[in-house]
Amino acid sequence: MTVRLIKHAASDADVVFAARVSTQGADSIPAEVLGGSERGLINYLMRERHGSPFEHGSITMYVEAPIFVFREWQRHRIASYNEESARYRELRPTFYLPAVDRKLVQVGKAGAYRFERGTAEQLDIVDSTLVAAYRTAYDAYDQMLAAGIAREIARAALPVGIYSSMYVTMNPRGLMNFLSLRTHREGAAFVSNPQREIEMCAEKVEAIFADLMPVTHAAFEANGRVAP
Amino acid sequence: MTVRLIKHAASDADVVFAARVSTQGADSIPAEVLGGSERGLINYLMRERHGSPFEHGSITMYVEAPIFVFREWQRHRIASYNEESARYRELRPTFYLPAVDRKLVQVGKAGAYRFERGTAEQLDIVDSTLVAAYRTAYDAYDQMLAAGIAREIARAALPVGIYSSMYVTMNPRGLMNFLSLRTHREGAAFVSNPQREIEMCAEKVEAIFADLMPVTHAAFEANGRVAP
Amino acid sequence: MTVRLIKHAASDADVVFAARVSTQGADSIPAEVLGGSERGLINYLMRERHGSPFEHGSITMYVEAPIFVFREWQRHRIASYNEESARYRELRPTFYLPAVDRKLVQVGKAGAYRFERGTAEQLDIVDSTLVAAYRTAYDAYDQMLAAGIAREIARAALPVGIYSSMYVTMNPRGLMNFLSLRTHREGAAFVSNPQREIEMCAEKVEAIFADLMPVTHAAFEANGRVAP
Amino acid sequence: MTVRLIKHAASDADVVFAARVSTQGADSIPAEVLGGSERGLINYLMRERHGSPFEHGSITMYVEAPIFVFREWQRHRIASYNEESARYRELRPTFYLPAVDRKLVQVGKAGAYRFERGTAEQLDIVDSTLVAAYRTAYDAYDQMLAAGIAREIARAALPVGIYSSMYVTMNPRGLMNFLSLRTHREGAAFVSNPQREIEMCAEKVEAIFADLMPVTHAAFEANGRVAP
């Protein structure tokens, strides 16, 4: 999984001027230096879920992940996407294989699943079965393209484990909503159970966010990881 | 492809009362009977792209289509979706095969493609290659499930040609935007070039829409199929 | 304040079929009868904040309220609005006066205000001052219109206490978000402090909602009035 | 009217990398230098209304304008707002008066209005009537505040001609939609008839936009000022 920061207009200071305009009007002058009262204000906004001051900015990232991850990601509607198109280009044969530490076995019932490590044999089965299935699928794709079939038809054979790439832009509020739903944290006010693969992306998104907006991120953490 | 109307609150009359409130305020009494001036009003709103009166309602549909169609559909953000989950249930082995009249060959260059009918041989290749690829993929999926692997991992092998199902709700304005982008009509003010498979769904959506809101649909047609 | 239900497609049963498609696919058949497991499901979705099944429908209301209420209401972006236009029609002289039980005095500091009842004298001042100001403003408006000035200019004199009217359409999820922010309830998970006038509207919206979707409303109440 | 650029992440180059990912995937490397083919691409996207590549960025502005202008502006839902609050602060006595070149007289009928210059007498009436109405309204406001009445009640007397201030953030696509609806240009594909006061703001927004994204702005102009 790749998540790379491309460009942004996002800093803790933006939250402050946007929030202060409600009480100060024209005197809410943007400033880049945050003191204690600014940190307190950001924490207050987060705790009370005054969300709109967290919308003034944007974070654009380049992402590479399997299609089944993109399918979940793109359900977030307060975001902008442009993705590689299997109608306009030939997809490359890059596929997802779980790492050795991926928990492979789902235990429990709907609404209360947990995951456990698989046996060595199970890991082998996943690896060999997926590799074989991916190879067959890509051969079929290649064969149809070689026969002059349109890419948009031939791609029907390709698995959701194939990698795609996209640019995604979110504002900080939408990004926190994404984090709250796509990471699992025991202490969270509302515990989510995302699929591990999108969580791996979300962790990279979170690192970028924490780097750009450390005070906001700390307030998000301190207040139960609830998107404001 | 299946598109079935589930429920709705959508009629031409809604457009009229919503539009008239701007000029009549409290006297904009909803009425179900449309005369000539109501038809003229709807046409005027469409032509001038006064879009908001077309938002007061909802149309909920049940859809069955391949994942590659859902991937395009769900990029429309002014809509609500709930889809079958390959994390929570085992997908059934239903897959997409192009019908005999599907044009298989893409001619021209990016931005100006057109599609032509394939030879009998090409149709054979598509059919036999897809069937074989689908079978191998589903066998791999089955094999992993039988070995106790979680559904959400095993599904990585499944192709984007497999069918999924969802409920989708749109308001009439969002629905017209969907139609304008996902149907190809020569006379349209902005000609779109959707993939044929999503267009097949869009045509069914359009039939439902035309049935529920005939005056609005006629105005959409008469004004270049531009979403207002 | 007036809030009147105009039309809707909204019932508890919609939540059930939309939620069940994730685990049942094509077998998620809409049914209108809700038993214990359906009630349990709705409560589970609410508690866990699985919000999307609450989006499949729409509730259209006709509202009359002062402009300062509309200003707050229309900041809710997941909704559709059509409002009486002071550009296209002459506004009528209907103005807001606080009822005798409206608490007039704000005590405390920013972020922790509370309101207390005013004295009889304060109530008199509000009444007489507002009536005089409204009268002067409307006379000025009338005078400019009589002199042939365009409505859109003359209206600059009109106060935000004047009534306007609109149609608003929300889906159940957006409506619950509106309720959570525009009502004050001591036991809520996130306590809001809306202005009393928009809360008076929100209470009427809530009564309509509770009538249309009693199970969903009960689950909203039971789970801290957090929009899912 | 004041519209001041606060911060942004917006450049023509962003459109290019976002668009090219569909055909180039991982090779769509962001570059800051635009040649002829990049200009051609931006023009093509605009003409064909491929809108999503114009969403990757944000432009944050500080705005001062009368409430009646904010009322129209904030109906644009693909945008983020934080505004001065008359609940949390005392508004200052700054009010809107039309400049001498403002056309004061509306001629024609609904749907086809045009505006003409007023007589010297009409201009006098507007000035003197508005000034008197504003003064009375603000005196009433002051009087209620002096009597200990809460700001949120006292403000009911204030006219929609009073100035407010806000921060607004839009992405380039949303901004172009704003421009297409809030400016009047004879040659436009869809001619809008905004109120002159919001158009004065829109012209300032457009100058900022043209400065930040000159190629995109030129393409917007060249293609009928239709938001893509």
Side-chain angles (χ1 to χ4, degrees), chain B residues 53-82:
Chain B
F54 297 99
E55 295 181 20
H56 297 279
S58 60
I59 297 172
T60 300
M61 295 163 284
Y62 172 77
V63 184
E64 289 179 8
I67 283 178
F68 67 83
V69 169
F70 276 27
R71 292 250 290 148
E72 297 184 338
W73 196 322
Q74 293 174 352
R75 295 291 296 277
H76 292 256
R77 289 162 293 186
I78 313 294
S80 297
Y81 304 99
N82 275 278

Tab-separated table of all heavy atoms in Angstrom, chain B residues 53-82:
chain	number	residue	atom	x	y	z
B	53	PRO	N	-35.401	23.055	-7.388
B	53	PRO	CA	-36.752	22.488	-7.262
B	53	PRO	C	-36.833	21.008	-7.657
B	53	PRO	O	-37.836	20.359	-7.377
B	53	PRO	CB	-37.590	23.345	-8.234
B	53	PRO	CG	-36.842	24.618	-8.365
B	53	PRO	CD	-35.395	24.232	-8.289
B	54	PHE	N	-35.785	20.497	-8.283
B	54	PHE	CA	-35.800	19.083	-8.678
B	54	PHE	C	-35.193	18.172	-7.600
B	54	PHE	O	-34.892	17.018	-7.862
B	54	PHE	CB	-35.051	18.901	-9.998
B	54	PHE	CG	-35.678	19.624	-11.165
B	54	PHE	CD1	-35.204	20.852	-11.593
B	54	PHE	CD2	-36.774	19.069	-11.824
B	54	PHE	CE1	-35.785	21.523	-12.663
B	54	PHE	CE2	-37.367	19.726	-12.899
B	54	PHE	CZ	-36.873	20.964	-13.316
B	55	GLU	N	-34.981	18.705	-6.419
B	55	GLU	CA	-34.347	17.905	-5.363
B	55	GLU	C	-35.318	17.388	-4.309
B	55	GLU	O	-34.909	16.633	-3.427
B	55	GLU	CB	-33.273	18.750	-4.647
B	55	GLU	CG	-32.102	19.134	-5.523
B	55	GLU	CD	-31.057	19.935	-4.758
B	55	GLU	OE1	-31.045	19.863	-3.518
B	55	GLU	OE2	-30.262	20.643	-5.390
B	56	HIS	N	-36.573	17.811	-4.363
B	56	HIS	CA	-37.481	17.476	-3.263
B	56	HIS	C	-38.170	16.130	-3.474
B	56	HIS	O	-39.344	16.062	-3.850
B	56	HIS	CB	-38.513	18.580	-3.079
B	56	HIS	CG	-37.875	19.871	-2.688
B	56	HIS	ND1	-37.501	20.149	-1.403
B	56	HIS	CD2	-37.469	20.921	-3.429
B	56	HIS	CE1	-36.927	21.336	-1.356
B	56	HIS	NE2	-36.893	21.835	-2.573
B	57	GLY	N	-37.452	15.089	-3.235
B	57	GLY	CA	-38.032	13.769	-3.376
B	57	GLY	C	-36.930	12.744	-3.370
B	57	GLY	O	-35.749	13.079	-3.197
B	58	SER	N	-37.291	11.502	-3.525
B	58	SER	CA	-36.285	10.447	-3.558
B	58	SER	C	-36.825	9.250	-4.314
B	58	SER	O	-38.025	9.001	-4.350
B	58	SER	CB	-35.898	10.030	-2.142
B	58	SER	OG	-37.023	9.550	-1.435
B	59	ILE	N	-35.900	8.556	-4.953
B	59	ILE	CA	-36.222	7.358	-5.722
B	59	ILE	C	-35.251	6.277	-5.264
B	59	ILE	O	-34.035	6.458	-5.379
B	59	ILE	CB	-36.080	7.635	-7.240
B	59	ILE	CG1	-37.085	8.718	-7.669
B	59	ILE	CG2	-36.269	6.361	-8.046
B	59	ILE	CD1	-36.911	9.208	-9.101
B	60	THR	N	-35.780	5.204	-4.696
B	60	THR	CA	-34.936	4.113	-4.203
B	60	THR	C	-35.066	2.912	-5.126
B	60	THR	O	-36.183	2.482	-5.440
B	60	THR	CB	-35.355	3.720	-2.774
B	60	THR	OG1	-35.203	4.843	-1.914
B	60	THR	CG2	-34.511	2.570	-2.244
B	61	MET	N	-33.934	2.415	-5.577
B	61	MET	CA	-33.920	1.291	-6.513
B	61	MET	C	-33.042	0.162	-5.984
B	61	MET	O	-32.065	0.404	-5.281
B	61	MET	CB	-33.389	1.752	-7.876
B	61	MET	CG	-34.286	2.769	-8.567
B	61	MET	SD	-33.455	3.670	-9.926
B	61	MET	CE	-32.420	4.811	-8.969
B	62	TYR	N	-33.399	-1.043	-6.363
B	62	TYR	CA	-32.562	-2.213	-6.086
B	62	TYR	C	-31.841	-2.558	-7.380
B	62	TYR	O	-32.470	-2.632	-8.450
B	62	TYR	CB	-33.429	-3.381	-5.619
B	62	TYR	CG	-32.661	-4.669	-5.509
B	62	TYR	CD1	-31.819	-4.894	-4.427
B	62	TYR	CD2	-32.764	-5.649	-6.492
B	62	TYR	CE1	-31.101	-6.070	-4.322
B	62	TYR	CE2	-32.042	-6.834	-6.392
B	62	TYR	CZ	-31.208	-7.030	-5.307
B	62	TYR	OH	-30.493	-8.189	-5.208
B	63	VAL	N	-30.527	-2.741	-7.303
B	63	VAL	CA	-29.719	-2.944	-8.505
B	63	VAL	C	-28.857	-4.200	-8.377
B	63	VAL	O	-28.253	-4.435	-7.325
B	63	VAL	CB	-28.784	-1.736	-8.751
B	63	VAL	CG1	-28.008	-1.905	-10.056
B	63	VAL	CG2	-29.561	-0.429	-8.755
B	64	GLU	N	-28.821	-4.980	-9.440
B	64	GLU	CA	-27.846	-6.072	-9.556
B	64	GLU	C	-27.010	-5.830	-10.793
B	64	GLU	O	-27.561	-5.684	-11.894
B	64	GLU	CB	-28.552	-7.425	-9.663
B	64	GLU	CG	-29.217	-7.864	-8.363
B	64	GLU	CD	-29.941	-9.206	-8.472
B	64	GLU	OE1	-29.799	-9.876	-9.529
B	64	GLU	OE2	-30.651	-9.563	-7.519
B	65	ALA	N	-25.711	-5.769	-10.632
B	65	ALA	CA	-24.818	-5.504	-11.764
B	65	ALA	C	-23.418	-5.936	-11.364
B	65	ALA	O	-23.137	-6.151	-10.179
B	65	ALA	CB	-24.851	-4.013	-12.129
B	66	PRO	N	-22.525	-6.061	-12.339
B	66	PRO	CA	-21.154	-6.455	-12.002
B	66	PRO	C	-20.433	-5.361	-11.198
B	66	PRO	O	-20.777	-4.180	-11.312
B	66	PRO	CB	-20.480	-6.632	-13.368
B	66	PRO	CG	-21.558	-6.643	-14.376
B	66	PRO	CD	-22.720	-5.916	-13.799
B	67	ILE	N	-19.441	-5.773	-10.455
B	67	ILE	CA	-18.680	-4.834	-9.635
B	67	ILE	C	-18.095	-3.686	-10.458
B	67	ILE	O	-18.058	-2.550	-10.012
B	67	ILE	CB	-17.573	-5.598	-8.859
B	67	ILE	CG1	-18.210	-6.329	-7.662
B	67	ILE	CG2	-16.453	-4.675	-8.414
B	67	ILE	CD1	-17.245	-7.168	-6.839
B	68	PHE	N	-17.650	-3.963	-11.698
B	68	PHE	CA	-17.054	-2.856	-12.479
B	68	PHE	C	-18.086	-1.787	-12.810
B	68	PHE	O	-17.726	-0.617	-12.998
B	68	PHE	CB	-16.302	-3.362	-13.732
B	68	PHE	CG	-17.140	-3.981	-14.815
B	68	PHE	CD1	-17.787	-3.194	-15.769
B	68	PHE	CD2	-17.267	-5.363	-14.914
B	68	PHE	CE1	-18.545	-3.781	-16.785
B	68	PHE	CE2	-18.026	-5.957	-15.925
B	68	PHE	CZ	-18.664	-5.158	-16.863
B	69	VAL	N	-19.359	-2.147	-12.837
B	69	VAL	CA	-20.417	-1.146	-13.006
B	69	VAL	C	-20.644	-0.381	-11.698
B	69	VAL	O	-20.751	0.849	-11.686
B	69	VAL	CB	-21.734	-1.811	-13.484
B	69	VAL	CG1	-22.909	-0.827	-13.399
B	69	VAL	CG2	-21.591	-2.332	-14.909
B	70	PHE	N	-20.675	-1.112	-10.589
B	70	PHE	CA	-20.862	-0.451	-9.288
B	70	PHE	C	-19.728	0.532	-8.998
B	70	PHE	O	-19.940	1.572	-8.379
B	70	PHE	CB	-20.907	-1.501	-8.171
B	70	PHE	CG	-22.270	-2.114	-7.977
B	70	PHE	CD1	-23.176	-2.184	-9.021
B	70	PHE	CD2	-22.664	-2.623	-6.751
B	70	PHE	CE1	-24.437	-2.762	-8.850
B	70	PHE	CE2	-23.915	-3.192	-6.565
B	70	PHE	CZ	-24.797	-3.266	-7.618
B	71	ARG	N	-18.529	0.175	-9.430
B	71	ARG	CA	-17.387	1.063	-9.216
B	71	ARG	C	-17.621	2.424	-9.859
B	71	ARG	O	-17.260	3.457	-9.288
B	71	ARG	CB	-16.126	0.445	-9.826
B	71	ARG	CG	-15.666	-0.805	-9.095
B	71	ARG	CD	-14.396	-0.533	-8.343
B	71	ARG	NE	-13.296	-0.361	-9.261
B	71	ARG	CZ	-12.285	0.457	-8.998
B	71	ARG	NH1	-12.269	1.197	-7.904
B	71	ARG	NH2	-11.284	0.555	-9.846
B	72	GLU	N	-18.213	2.435	-11.037
B	72	GLU	CA	-18.491	3.714	-11.702
B	72	GLU	C	-19.683	4.416	-11.052
B	72	GLU	O	-19.667	5.623	-10.825
B	72	GLU	CB	-18.760	3.482	-13.193
B	72	GLU	CG	-17.546	2.901	-13.933
B	72	GLU	CD	-17.753	2.754	-15.434
B	72	GLU	OE1	-18.919	2.686	-15.889
B	72	GLU	OE2	-16.751	2.693	-16.149
B	73	TRP	N	-20.707	3.644	-10.757
B	73	TRP	CA	-21.951	4.209	-10.222
B	73	TRP	C	-21.681	4.922	-8.896
B	73	TRP	O	-22.175	6.032	-8.646
B	73	TRP	CB	-22.971	3.095	-10.026
B	73	TRP	CG	-24.388	3.539	-9.844
B	73	TRP	CD1	-24.821	4.637	-9.143
B	73	TRP	CD2	-25.564	2.911	-10.379
B	73	TRP	NE1	-26.192	4.708	-9.200
B	73	TRP	CE2	-26.679	3.674	-9.945
B	73	TRP	CE3	-25.793	1.778	-11.155
B	73	TRP	CZ2	-27.999	3.325	-10.278
B	73	TRP	CZ3	-27.100	1.441	-11.479
B	73	TRP	CH2	-28.192	2.208	-11.050
B	74	GLN	N	-20.906	4.268	-8.052
B	74	GLN	CA	-20.727	4.800	-6.696
B	74	GLN	C	-19.796	6.008	-6.629
B	74	GLN	O	-19.591	6.579	-5.560
B	74	GLN	CB	-20.252	3.679	-5.762
B	74	GLN	CG	-21.352	2.626	-5.581
B	74	GLN	CD	-20.908	1.417	-4.787
B	74	GLN	OE1	-19.730	1.272	-4.476
B	74	GLN	NE2	-21.838	0.547	-4.451
B	75	ARG	N	-19.257	6.407	-7.762
B	75	ARG	CA	-18.513	7.668	-7.798
B	75	ARG	C	-19.474	8.865	-7.768
B	75	ARG	O	-19.033	10.000	-7.564
B	75	ARG	CB	-17.612	7.724	-9.035
B	75	ARG	CG	-16.513	6.666	-9.021
B	75	ARG	CD	-15.466	6.957	-7.951
B	75	ARG	NE	-14.777	8.193	-8.226
B	75	ARG	CZ	-13.744	8.312	-9.063
B	75	ARG	NH1	-13.270	7.236	-9.657
B	75	ARG	NH2	-13.166	9.466	-9.264
B	76	HIS	N	-20.752	8.624	-8.000
B	76	HIS	CA	-21.752	9.704	-7.915
B	76	HIS	C	-22.045	9.940	-6.437
B	76	HIS	O	-22.650	9.105	-5.775
B	76	HIS	CB	-23.024	9.317	-8.679
B	76	HIS	CG	-22.803	9.236	-10.166
B	76	HIS	ND1	-23.228	10.209	-11.035
B	76	HIS	CD2	-22.150	8.328	-10.922
B	76	HIS	CE1	-22.870	9.889	-12.269
B	76	HIS	NE2	-22.213	8.739	-12.230
B	77	ARG	N	-21.644	11.084	-5.948
B	77	ARG	CA	-21.653	11.310	-4.498
B	77	ARG	C	-22.961	11.846	-3.956
B	77	ARG	O	-23.184	11.803	-2.751
B	77	ARG	CB	-20.477	12.242	-4.136
B	77	ARG	CG	-19.145	11.552	-4.277
B	77	ARG	CD	-18.007	12.545	-4.344
B	77	ARG	NE	-18.075	13.333	-5.565
B	77	ARG	CZ	-17.159	14.195	-5.960
B	77	ARG	NH1	-16.091	14.397	-5.214
B	77	ARG	NH2	-17.298	14.867	-7.074
B	78	ILE	N	-23.805	12.410	-4.817
B	78	ILE	CA	-25.103	12.897	-4.335
B	78	ILE	C	-26.097	11.747	-4.463
B	78	ILE	O	-27.019	11.765	-5.297
B	78	ILE	CB	-25.557	14.142	-5.132
B	78	ILE	CG1	-24.431	15.157	-5.266
B	78	ILE	CG2	-26.783	14.780	-4.455
B	78	ILE	CD1	-23.970	15.793	-3.984
B	79	ALA	N	-25.915	10.745	-3.652
B	79	ALA	CA	-26.733	9.532	-3.701
B	79	ALA	C	-26.414	8.729	-2.455
B	79	ALA	O	-25.418	8.987	-1.778
B	79	ALA	CB	-26.397	8.720	-4.951
B	80	SER	N	-27.282	7.777	-2.137
B	80	SER	CA	-27.094	6.934	-0.958
B	80	SER	C	-27.028	5.474	-1.389
B	80	SER	O	-27.840	5.045	-2.208
B	80	SER	CB	-28.252	7.144	0.022
B	80	SER	OG	-28.258	8.482	0.470
B	81	TYR	N	-26.086	4.759	-0.821
B	81	TYR	CA	-25.841	3.378	-1.227
B	81	TYR	C	-25.785	2.427	-0.042
B	81	TYR	O	-25.198	2.763	0.994
B	81	TYR	CB	-24.485	3.284	-1.943
B	81	TYR	CG	-24.342	4.189	-3.131
B	81	TYR	CD1	-23.666	5.403	-3.032
B	81	TYR	CD2	-24.901	3.845	-4.361
B	81	TYR	CE1	-23.545	6.250	-4.124
B	81	TYR	CE2	-24.777	4.690	-5.456
B	81	TYR	CZ	-24.094	5.890	-5.333
B	81	TYR	OH	-23.979	6.722	-6.418
B	82	ASN	N	-26.361	1.250	-0.190
B	82	ASN	CA	-26.046	0.117	0.681
B	82	ASN	C	-25.870	-1.092	-0.206
B	82	ASN	O	-26.764	-1.425	-0.992
B	82	ASN	CB	-27.144	-0.131	1.720
B	82	ASN	CG	-26.942	0.746	2.938
B	82	ASN	OD1	-26.162	0.432	3.816
B	82	ASN	ND2	-27.632	1.871	2.967
